[in-house]
Amino acid sequence: MGDYADFVGVDYTLAASSTPSVAVAFGCGGARGLAHIHIIEALDELGIRPIAIAGASIGSIMGAAMAAGMSGAEIRDYTLATVGNRPAVLNKMWSLRPVSVRSIRFGQFNLERILRAFLPPGFPENFSDLHIPLKVVTTDYYDQAEVVTEKGDLFPVLAASAAIPAMFMPVKVGQRVMIDGGIMNPVPYEHLTGLADIIIGIDVVGGPEGDGTHIPNRIQSLFGAGQLTMQSNIARKLRLQAPQIFLRPTTGRIGVLDFLKARDILAMSAGVKDELKFALDRVMTAKN
């Protein structure tokens, strides 16, 4: 793929100056977050450029790509050429394994190194280099608090936001130890309140999959419990304050690290593109 410069210059012209402004919050969900690509593509096709973006975990990475100037189609192509390419992924991941071990184990990977290996060359280093304001949610491990970052070095914050416990090393941002932002705020749409006429929240957390009778294994239990906790958090937030549009793309039995199934994820979640277009039409018609 080409350098980041190849992606800059996308035409995001609004259809008319009277069009309501839009902001979007991309939620956490690991590989299921590839469904966010459809949201970006839909906004591109409608000629809508969000005036602000918020993201947690994979949502922060997708949001950063959009804020950096990549179109949905470019993000799709780049994704399929990198994480959607099994030999390329395995080779890169093996080269990034900790040098002190002979095998790949959970919790050993430095996510900032992984992001630098997989994101386009020349990707912005600082929030100030982005074309759209971006709010990235992380979790302060020791202060037990949500942290929202909007300025400074970009890569460490993105890595911290996506540092799934037990899968990736925690990330130090300044003097604070950070982990996955989705733990505290799976879909951070409330951080966009007052910034746009229409706020969109996209939930790809999912839930435990199965026939309701089998006993999950250790890893399934770990991630399933996390999903249950995050869905409880989302339900509470929706009761208190819901965004104008809240969508849950279909992602089926996709695991949090099933990035090699990128094509399957995009295929099964494709319907959310039309869902967003219909929802935006309904909300904009009501506002006019």
Side-chain angles (χ1 to χ4, degrees), residues 47-64:
I48 295 174
R49 181 187 187 185
I51 63 171
I53 297 171
S57 201
I58 185 66
S60 70
I61 297 170
M62 288 291 173

Side-chain angles (χ1 to χ4, degrees), residues 126-148:
N126 197 285
F127 279 81
S128 62
D129 298 323
L130 299 174
H131 300 273
I132 302 173
L134 175 68
K135 297 173 181 283
V136 175
V137 172
T138 57
T139 297
D140 188 312
Y141 183 75
Y142 289 108
D143 280 356
Q144 307 167 49
E146 173 187 3
V147 177
V148 180

Side-chain angles (χ1 to χ4, degrees), residues 98-244:
V99 295
S100 60
V101 299
R102 295 178 179 273
S103 61
I104 296 175
R105 299 174 186 171
F106 292 148
Q108 294 175 325
F109 283 104
N110 180 317
L111 190 50
E112 183 175 347
R113 291 184 63 208
I114 292 174
L115 290 180
R116 290 187 179 280
F118 281 95
L119 287 176
F123 199 83
E125 293 281 342
N126 197 285
F127 279 81
S128 62
D129 298 323
L130 299 174
H131 300 273
I132 302 173
L134 175 68
K135 297 173 181 283
V136 175
V137 172
T138 57
T139 297
D140 188 312
Y141 183 75
Y142 289 108
D143 280 356
Q144 307 167 49
E146 173 187 3
V147 177
V148 180
T149 303
E150 305 176 63
K151 60 183 180 180
D153 292 335
L154 185 59
F155 274 89
V157 177
L158 292 180
S161 183
I164 302 171
M167 304 304 297
F168 300 107
M169 295 167 54
V171 178
K172 253 200 166 181
V173 180
Q175 298 302 310
R176 308 171 84 171
V177 177
M178 301 292 188
I179 58 174
D180 192 347
I183 293 173
M184 285 290 183
N185 198 340
V187 190
Y189 59 80
E190 71 275 19
H191 293 301
L192 301 172
T193 300
L195 298 181
D197 300 313
I198 299 171
I199 297 173
I200 302 167
I202 308 298
D203 171 19
V204 291
V205 169
E209 293 289 341
D211 60 9
T213 62
H214 84 282
I215 302 297
N217 63 32
R218 179 174 59 90
I219 297 300
Q220 290 170 336
S221 295
L222 174 66
F223 288 118
Q227 288 174 303
L228 294 173
T229 300
M230 288 187 279
Q231 287 294 2
S232 175
N233 188 338
I234 292 170
R236 178 183 56 81
K237 290 206 312 171
L238 289 173
R239 287 194 297 270
L240 293 172
Q241 177 189 10
Q244 285 79 10

